[in-house]
Amino acid sequence: MSEKIFGSRLRKNIFMIVIAFVGMTFTFQLIKMQILEHTTYTTQSDNNSIKKKPLQAPRGIFFDRNLDVLVSNKPTYNLQITPAVYDTIHSSTIEAIINEERGTINKIFEKNKIYSKYLPRIIKRDLNYNNVVWFEEHSENLKGVEIIVEMQRDYSYGVKGSHIFGYLREINSVQLEKEKNLYDLGDFIGISGIERSYENLLRGSKGYEFILVDSRRKTIGRYLEGNNDIQPVKGKDLVLTIDKKAQQIAEAEFEGLSGSLVAIEPSTGEILAYVSAPEYDLESFAAFTSREQINKLSSDPKKPLFDRAANSIYPPGSTYKMLGAIIGLEENLIDINSTVYCRGGFQFGNRFFKCHGNHGSISVIPAIEKSCNTFFYKLILDIGLDRWARYLKMFGFGEKTGFDLGAETKGIVPNTEYYDRAFGKNKWTKGTLISLGIGQGEFSVTTLQLAQYAALLANSGRTKTPHVLQGYIEGIKNIDYNIEYKDKIANISQRTFDIVREGMFKVVNGYGTARHIKLPNINIAGKTGTSQNPHGEDHALFIAFAPYENPKIAVAVIVENVGFGGTHAAPIAQKVIKAYLENIEGNNFTISSAK
Amino acid sequence: MEPSNKILDKFDFVVFAAITLLTAIGMAAVYSATYTHPTAYGNFNKQLISGIIAFILFFVAYLIPYKTYRFIAAPVYVISLLSLLAVIFIGKTVYGSKSWVSFGPIGFQPSEFAKIGLILFLAYYLTRKRKNPNNFYDLFIISVITLIPVALILMQPDMGTAIVYVIISLIMVFWSGVDLFLFFLLISPVVVVFASLFGLATFLICMILVIALLVYFKKNVFVNASIIVLNISAAYLMDYGINFLKPHQQKRIETFINPLADPLGAGYNIMQTKVAIGSGGIWGKGFLHGNQTQLRFIPEQWTDFIFCVIGEEFGFVGSILTIALFIVLFFKLVNIATHTKNIFGSTVVVGILALMFTHFAINIGMNIGVAPVIGLPLPFLSFGGSSLIVNMILIGIALNFYKNRREQI
C-alpha cells in the first residue's frame, strides 16, 4: 500500500464518508418520523398525555300526559378504580367497606380486561354516605380509587310502571363494541320498555373534559384551558301518554294478582295506563344491577319480568262477541231484529254447546247484553272461517299492533290454512268453528290487542297505533315535538257500530253481566269475558269504553285464574275509567259514590 | 503557505460558533426539560455555571503552548487511572453505578476527564519514533493502554463509556497508519455480529460488504475463506455470547430490536422518545410546549434523551440544525487533523473527533431509534458539567493544534 501514514487521503475520505453517512441516516430517519409519520406520533402523544374524562349526560326524564313527573334522576356516589394506578393490596379492605364479597374488584377487572388499564372501572354504585366519607378520608393512600357523582334513575313518584319504563343496565361488551362512539365502559343503556325504545332520545350526548396528565397519570391541568372540552347535552325529556292517576289506580288494583290492563285514548291511540302484574321493583335496578338480582327475578315462577300485556295470549272469550255481531250485520247475515231461540245451548250434530242460561228468542243487542252463546254459535256457522278471519285482522287481531314499547306477540287468528296445518286437511269440521263463535279455541289475543279493539269499538272504527310517547321536550327551549302515529281503521258502517255499542251499553247499564259497575254519572259501555283455562281457574276479562256518548278511554283487563270476568275484571276497569275521567281537565265528572 | 497573522488563521470561528450554538441549544433544552420538574429543578443553573467554567477552560486549553500536551500526556494518563481507581473506592453511587467523585459541593466524573488522558497518551505512544502500529508488540501495548481504563470503567459499571474508550482507541490506531487489512480483520466481526442482531437481511448485506472488501484487498483464497468463516461463526456465536450478558442488558438488546415487545418495560423509553420526536413535526411544538417533555414521559430526559426535547419542541428544523452543527464540527476536525503537520497533534485531534462522533452517533441514534439504548451524553447538549467541560477543553486543544498546524514537533 502506497499511502502516506498520517493524514492519508484515503483515511481522511473514509472519515468523511462515515460522518456523511451517519448524518444522512439521521436526516432520513427524521424526515420519516417528523414529516411522514408525524400524524401517527402526534396521535400517540396526545393519547399519552391527554386524558379524556367523560362527562355524563343526564338522561331525559319521564312526564305523564299532564306533565307530572313519573321518573327522574337523582345523584348517586359511585366508586370507580383505575387498574393501571391501583394497588390491589387494598382490595380486601375496600370490599369489606363497601360490603361486597371478597374478590369482587378482581372479578370486575377480569371481566373488562380487554379495555385499557387506564380506563376507570365502576366497582359499586350508590354508595352510602358513610362509605363516601371513608373514601374521602383515605383518598391519599388509595391511588386510582375515586368517588364520582353520577345520576341514577329516581322512581319515587308513586308509579311502579316497571313494564312501561323498563330498566337500564351497564352496557355489555358486545353492544359496546358496536357503538363505541356513543358509549364508554360502565355506561348505562336501556334494556326494556321506554328506556330501550327511546334510548336514542333519552341518552343525550356525552361530554368530555380533556385533562393533561403526566406519565404517572397525575393531573397537571386542563388541556387548552378547557377550550376543547365538550359539554354534555342532557337527554330529551319524554312526555308520555300515561295518566299518572289512572296508572296508579290500575297498579293498586292489581296488587296480589296476575294479569294485565291496557287503557287507550280511543281517538289517538295514546296508552293511558299499562299494567302487567306482578310488577318488579325498578328501584332495585337503579343502582348496580347484580347478576343475582336479575337471576332471582327471571327464575321467579310468577315471571314478573314478563310483560303480560303484550306477550301473554288468551282466548278473548265473550269479549269477542261484538265482533261476531259486526260481521253478521256487515255481511247481512243478521239484522237488528233477527232472533235466535236459546234453550240453554246449541245442538250441532251429536254435540251440545252450552249457554249460561235459557235466553229464549233473542236478538243481537240482548245477545251481547246477556252474553248469549247460542246466538253466536249459530252466527259463526253462517260467517264461515275465512270471512271471520278477515274481519278479525281488520280489528288488529293476529298481528302486532306496532306499539312503541317493543316486544309483543301476534296472537292467533286461525283460518283454513291454520286448521289444515293443525289438524290435517279435512280432519276438522264446522264443529271446530263453533267454539270460535264465543271467543274460545285457538283464537288467542293479547291484552294490548283487546284494548285496541275496544278503542275501535269506542271510536267507530278509527284509532291510531297504540303508543306511550306523546312527544318530547328538547333541552330548555321547551319545544314539544309531536310524533305522528299510524292510523288504524276498521271499515265498518256507523249503524253496525251503533248496534253493538248499544249492546255494550246495556252490559253495564241494562240487565247485563257487568251491571254492578254502573256509575251514576259516567256511562260505561263494556263486555265481560271468561276465558277457559285448561291449567286452572278461568281468566277474567273485561273490555270497556267511556263515556258512552263521547268515549275518552277504552280499557281491556285480563285477570288470570280468578274466574268470572264480570266479577273480577270489570271493577278494575271501572276504577281506572273513573280515575281517568275525573282527572281530565275541564270535565265535570265529580264522582264519589262508585261501588 | 505564508504564515499569517490574521485572526481567522489562528482561530477557527466556525468551530467556535458551532460549539457555542450547540451549547446554547443544550441550555434551552435542559431548561425546558427541568424547569417544572420537582427534583431536577435547578439543573439549568448548574449547567449555566458549568458552561461558564467550560468556556474559560476552553480558552485556557487553546492558549497554553501546544508542546505542553505532549509533555503532560503520560502524567495526565496516570492521574486519570488514579482517579478512576479512586471512584471505585470512594465513588458515589448514582442510578446503580459508581461514577462520581465529590469534593465538597463539587462532584465530577473521572471517566469523563480520563478521556483526555487516554487521547493524549495514546497519541503520544502512537507517534513516538520508531513505533509502528502494525507491529504486534506495539499493538499489544496500545491494547493495554486502552484496556486498563476500560476495565476500571467496567467496574463502575459503565458499559457505554467503556465502549467509547475502545472506539476512540481503534480510530486513533486507524489514523496512525495501521494496515487497513489488519484493521478490517479486527473490525469486521464486530460489525457483522451487530448487523446479525437485525435479522438475516442485514447480516447478508454486511457479508456482501465483507466479501467486496476482501476482493479489494486481493488476499489469497485461504485468507479470504478463513475471514468469511470467522465472520459467520462470530455471528453464530452471538446467540451464545448473549447469555453472558446480564438479564437487563439482554433485554436492552431485545428491546432495541423490537421496542413494541415490551411497551411498558424496557421498550418504554424508546417508544416515548420516538413519539416525542415524531410528534414534533416540521416546526416543533414550541419552546416549553412539548407535552411529552413537559409531562415527563421520558425519565431523566435532560441527560441522555436531551435530543427529544429538541425534536419535540423545535421539530425537524431544530433537529436538522443540531445535526448540521455537529456535522460541520466533525468535518472541521477532520480537516484540522489532516492539515496539522504535528503528527501528535493530528492524532490527538482524531481522538477528539472519534470521541465526539461516537457520542453523537450513538446518542442521536438511540434517540431516533436507529441505535441501541446505550447511556451516553450528547456532547455540549446533555446536562452534566463534567462532560461539557471536558468537551470544551478538547475543542480548545483541537483549536490550539489548528493554530499551530504548520509547526512540526
Side-chain angles (χ1 to χ4, degrees):
Chain A
M1 236 148 270
S2 62
E3 58 160 333
K4 193 181 89 193
I5 301 249
F6 278 100
S8 106
R9 188 164 288 274
L10 174 69
R11 287 168 208 233
K12 178 196 166 188
N13 287 344
I14 290 175
F15 277 163
M16 296 298 230
I17 289 166
V18 171
I19 293 166
F21 174 77
V22 170
M24 269 155 59
T25 308
F26 287 178
T27 307
F28 286 138
Q29 177 71 1
L30 284 170
I31 289 172
K32 181 171 169 261
M33 289 167 72
Q34 297 190 302
I35 298 173
L36 305 179
E37 294 170 356
H38 171 225
T39 337
T40 320
Y41 285 118
T42 302
T43 317
Q44 278 187 38
S45 166
D46 288 348
N47 288 345
N48 243 344
S49 54
I50 299 169
K51 191 167 87 174
K52 207 166 127 188
K53 187 179 157 200
L55 301 173
Q56 207 197 15
R59 237 176 137 75
I61 68 172
F62 302 160
F63 293 107
D64 90 333
R65 59 193 296 108
N66 302 311
L67 299 182
D68 274 343
V69 177
L70 294 173
V71 174
S72 73
N73 300 313
K74 63 181 177 192
T76 167
Y77 293 97
N78 297 348
L79 171 67
Q80 67 175 28
I81 296 182
T82 310
V85 276
Y86 171 70
D87 187 345
T88 46
I89 212 167
H90 305 301
S91 289
S92 52
T93 317
I94 292 175
E95 282 153 3
I97 291 290
I98 62 173
N99 204 9
E100 288 286 335
E101 260 175 71
R102 247 167 183 271
T104 301
I105 294 174
N106 206 31
K107 230 191 274 171
I108 293 170
F109 285 179
E110 274 300 304
K111 201 177 100 193
N112 297 314
K113 67 179 171 195
I114 57 163
Y115 302 103
S116 163
K117 286 192 291 183
Y118 289 104
L119 222 59
R121 319 291 203 246
I122 299 267
I123 303 298
K124 189 175 170 114
R125 294 183 195 267
D126 207 15
L127 291 179
N128 67 37
Y129 180 72
N130 288 340
N131 286 348
V132 174
V133 170
W134 188 88
F135 282 109
E136 292 304 327
E137 273 172 5
H138 294 80
S139 61
E140 273 295 292
N141 308 317
L142 297 171
K143 265 198 203 137
V145 179
E146 272 178 292
I147 300 293
I148 53 155
V149 181
E150 268 190 4
M151 295 306 240
Q152 78 173 35
R153 281 306 200 199
D154 181 359
Y155 297 108
S156 63
Y157 296 87
V159 179
K160 287 196 197 112
S162 52
H163 294 96
I164 308 171
F165 307 142
Y167 59 93
L168 298 164
R169 210 149 76 191
E170 253 182 52
I171 188 161
N172 65 36
S173 48
V174 180
Q175 281 169 305
L176 187 56
E177 197 49 44
K178 261 192 285 184
E179 301 191 87
K180 258 189 256 172
N181 48 338
L182 289 174
Y183 300 93
D184 289 310
L185 185 64
D187 279 358
F188 273 93
I189 186 168
I191 298 294
S192 69
I194 295 171
E195 299 279 20
R196 192 180 87 131
S197 297
Y198 297 110
E199 170 68 23
N200 54 346
L201 291 176
L202 287 167
R203 72 171 157 246
S205 69
K206 303 188 75 163
Y208 289 97
E209 217 170 64
F210 297 98
I211 294 165
L212 284 175
V213 291
D214 67 9
S215 52
R216 292 197 198 113
R217 294 262 125 181
K218 228 178 88 190
T219 303
I220 303 293
R222 312 282 301 269
Y223 174 65
L224 295 177
E225 277 86 47
N227 283 335
N228 279 24
D229 290 1
I230 299 164
Q231 291 308 314
V233 180
K234 183 180 181 293
K236 294 176 180 73
D237 295 334
L238 304 189
V239 180
L240 306 188
T241 59
I242 300 295
D243 182 80
K244 185 171 170 179
K245 206 170 160 211
Q247 177 72 21
Q248 281 174 325
I249 296 283
E251 285 173 3
E253 287 298 312
F254 269 100
E255 202 67 60
L257 299 174
S258 282
S260 51
L261 173 146
V262 178
I264 290 178
E265 200 324 317
S267 60
T268 57
E270 292 173 349
I271 295 175
L272 302 168
Y274 188 96
V275 175
S276 167
E279 307 235 13
Y280 54 93
D281 188 7
L282 279 174
E283 198 66 49
S284 68
F285 282 83
F288 184 77
T289 322
S290 68
R291 201 62 356 240
E292 295 92 279
Q293 238 162 348
I294 304 230
N295 289 346
K296 208 179 114 196
L297 279 171
S298 35
S299 61
D300 187 329
K302 286 183 171 166
K303 298 191 174 166
L305 286 175
F306 185 66
D307 181 355
R308 290 167 159 76
N311 292 306
S312 277
I313 52 171
Y314 315 84
S318 300
T319 62
Y320 152 78
K321 283 176 180 155
M322 284 76 76
L323 249 171
I326 286 170
I327 304 167
L329 291 163
E330 284 293 294
E331 296 288 323
N332 296 316
L333 303 170
I334 53 167
D335 64 29
I336 189 165
N337 300 314
S338 317
T339 56
V340 162
Y341 198 84
C342 169
R343 38 175 96 74
F346 180 67
Q347 187 70 41
F348 184 76
N350 52 3
R351 277 185 73 189
F352 186 73
F353 294 87
K354 277 204 281 190
C355 190
H356 28 250
N358 279 308
H359 296 113
S361 176
I362 193 164
S363 67
V364 62
I365 292 174
I368 293 171
E369 179 186 357
K370 308 262 171 59
S371 201
C372 174
N373 288 350
T374 312
F375 188 90
F376 294 98
Y377 288 140
K378 187 172 179 302
L379 188 56
I380 190 115
L381 291 175
D382 297 337
I383 294 169
L385 184 57
D386 290 326
R387 182 153 60 175
W388 176 83
R390 202 174 69 234
Y391 274 89
L392 261 59
K393 295 246 155 127
M394 204 189 279
F395 281 83
F397 294 110
E399 55 193 33
K400 293 185 179 183
T401 66
F403 89 137
D404 56 353
L405 287 181
E408 59 174 316
T409 321
K410 286 206 284 197
I412 301 163
V413 171
N415 53 15
T416 308
E417 203 187 313
Y418 179 93
Y419 277 142
D420 282 349
R421 219 180 26 238
F423 301 110
K425 218 172 166 73
N426 303 322
K427 293 268 172 66
W428 55 281
T429 60
K430 281 210 162 185
T432 320
L433 277 187
I434 288 179
S435 54
L436 293 179
I438 57 159
Q440 300 291 352
E442 288 69 28
F443 178 30
S444 303
V445 305
T446 66
T447 314
L448 185 63
Q449 286 170 334
L450 273 185
Q452 188 183 46
Y453 161 61
L456 286 167
L457 292 171
N459 205 42
S460 304
R462 296 188 74 89
T463 185
K464 286 176 188 285
T465 303
H467 57 270
V468 287
L469 181 65
Q470 195 174 65
Y472 52 86
I473 300 172
E474 173 124 61
I476 48 163
K477 282 179 285 174
N478 248 14
I479 308 164
D480 285 24
Y481 288 84
N482 280 299
I483 296 157
E484 278 300 312
Y485 293 94
K486 271 216 303 239
D487 285 326
K488 174 73 193 171
I489 293 166
N491 224 339
I492 303 295
S493 70
Q494 187 60 46
R495 190 178 148 65
T496 298
F497 274 122
D498 290 344
I499 293 168
V500 294
R501 284 167 49 161
E502 198 185 326
M504 288 175 78
F505 178 76
K506 288 190 169 163
V507 168
V508 180
N509 300 285
Y511 299 96
T513 47
R515 54 186 179 274
H516 55 287
I517 67 153
K518 181 174 159 51
L519 287 173
N521 51 356
I522 299 175
N523 288 329
I524 300 174
K527 181 74 196 80
T528 59
T530 305
S531 138
Q532 284 159 19
N533 174 17
H535 308 293
E537 193 82 48
D538 290 346
H539 303 314
L541 288 86
F542 188 66
I543 66 166
F545 60 83
Y548 175 66
E549 301 76 16
N550 175 26
K552 293 282 179 217
I553 179 170
V555 195
V557 182
I558 297 180
V559 188
E560 292 177 3
N561 312 116
V562 287
F564 187 57
T567 318
H568 302 280
I572 297 176
Q574 179 219 44
K575 290 196 177 95
V576 170
I577 287 168
K578 180 171 157 272
Y580 176 65
L581 292 180
E582 277 181 336
N583 205 26
I584 295 181
E585 214 176 306
N587 73 39
N588 42 17
F589 305 113
T590 40
I591 306 156
S592 48
S593 57
K595 281 196 249 173
Chain B
M1 230 193 259
E2 284 296 303
S4 166
N5 287 323
K6 276 188 196 155
I7 184 119
L8 282 177
D9 190 55
K10 302 235 179 246
F11 190 75
D12 192 325
F13 275 100
V14 175
V15 169
F16 185 70
I19 59 166
T20 307
L21 276 172
L22 286 171
T23 308
I25 293 170
M27 291 287 175
V30 168
Y31 180 77
S32 179
T34 59
Y35 87 112
T36 59
H37 199 281
T39 54
Y41 177 77
N43 280 3
F44 172 73
N45 290 336
K46 286 188 206 165
Q47 186 74 346
L48 207 59
I49 292 163
S50 304
I52 293 162
I53 295 168
F55 270 97
I56 293 167
L57 292 178
F58 162 81
F59 282 108
V60 171
Y62 172 71
L63 291 169
I64 57 176
Y66 75 97
K67 284 181 181 164
T68 317
Y69 292 113
R70 205 177 146 79
F71 298 135
I72 63 166
V76 170
Y77 177 73
V78 173
I79 292 166
S80 298
L81 294 188
L82 290 175
S83 68
L84 288 174
L85 210 57
V87 171
I88 292 160
F89 294 108
I90 60 163
K92 214 163 65 167
T93 305
V94 179
Y95 300 119
S97 76
K98 269 185 184 180
S99 61
W100 286 75
V101 173
S102 313
F103 295 104
I106 304 156
F108 75 99
Q109 276 178 289
S111 59
E112 287 294 325
F113 289 93
K115 286 168 183 169
I116 303 175
L118 177 75
I119 291 170
L120 290 179
F121 191 58
L122 265 182
Y124 169 78
Y125 187 83
L126 285 166
T127 56
R128 276 191 315 164
K129 287 213 172 73
R130 282 198 303 274
K131 284 300 157 193
N132 180 359
N134 297 318
N135 172 320
F136 278 94
Y137 172 75
D138 284 343
L139 270 185
F140 173 73
I141 296 298
I142 289 163
S143 305
V144 172
I145 292 171
T146 310
L147 292 178
I148 294 171
V150 165
L152 290 172
I153 289 165
L154 283 176
M155 285 165 81
Q156 294 182 357
D158 184 352
M159 176 86 142
T161 307
I163 290 171
V164 174
Y165 274 50
V166 173
I167 295 173
I168 291 172
S169 178
L170 282 171
I171 294 176
M172 287 174 76
V173 168
F174 169 78
W175 184 250
S176 68
V178 72
D179 181 58
L180 281 179
F181 179 72
L182 191 65
F183 191 73
F184 163 74
L185 209 62
L186 289 173
I187 295 297
S188 68
V190 179
V191 175
V192 170
V193 162
F194 186 71
S196 72
L197 287 177
F198 294 93
L200 193 61
T202 43
F203 168 72
L204 288 177
I205 290 169
C206 269
M207 284 311 293
I208 290 167
L209 216 65
V210 166
I211 292 164
L213 285 167
L214 285 174
V215 172
Y216 170 82
F217 286 121
K218 298 187 184 82
K219 297 288 173 184
N220 68 48
V221 179
F222 176 71
V223 172
N224 287 348
S226 357
I227 287 170
I228 290 169
V229 169
L230 175 76
N231 277 303
I232 293 173
S233 45
Y236 187 74
L237 285 171
M238 183 61 193
D239 275 344
Y240 182 69
I242 278 181
N243 295 330
F244 286 103
L245 293 175
K246 289 184 179 146
H248 77 273
Q249 289 166 329
Q250 291 179 15
K251 192 120 198 172
R252 273 190 185 176
I253 293 171
E254 274 170 46
T255 306
F256 166 57
I257 296 161
N258 181 17
L260 293 170
D262 184 16
L264 292 175
Y268 176 82
N269 273 4
I270 300 180
M271 300 239 311
Q272 295 301 347
T273 315
K274 286 178 90 172
V275 166
I277 294 172
S279 63
I282 295 179
W283 299 103
K285 296 176 187 168
F287 184 50
L288 308 182
H289 286 101
N291 45 326
Q292 294 281 115
T293 300
Q294 301 308 331
L295 304 173
R296 298 169 216 139
F297 277 84
I298 299 140
E300 300 286 313
Q301 197 181 1
W302 49 92
T303 60
D304 300 343
F305 289 102
I306 197 74
F307 188 74
C308 295
V309 182
I310 298 158
E312 186 180 26
E313 300 198 342
F314 303 109
F316 180 71
V317 174
S319 312
I320 286 296
L321 175 71
T322 307
I323 289 170
L325 288 170
F326 272 112
I327 301 290
V328 166
L329 175 66
F330 298 145
F331 280 158
K332 276 285 177 185
L333 288 175
V334 174
N335 268 317
I336 293 170
T338 319
H339 290 120
T340 300
K341 286 183 179 160
N342 172 350
I343 57 168
F344 168 74
S346 174
T347 312
V348 168
V349 173
V350 165
I352 294 167
L353 169 68
L355 164 68
M356 291 186 182
F357 182 74
T358 309
H359 274 259
F360 164 81
I362 293 179
N363 181 288
I364 295 187
M366 78 175 179
N367 268 273
I368 63 178
V370 295
V373 176
I374 298 169
L376 285 179
L378 185 58
F380 307 106
L381 282 97
S382 287
F383 170 74
S386 302
S387 159
L388 182 59
I389 289 166
V390 167
N391 285 315
M392 281 292 190
I393 291 172
L394 290 172
I395 295 295
I397 293 171
L399 290 194
N400 193 335
F401 286 119
Y402 170 75
K403 180 176 66 181
N404 299 297
R405 64 191 173 280
R406 296 183 189 87
E407 312 287 335
Q408 294 282 354
I409 292 187

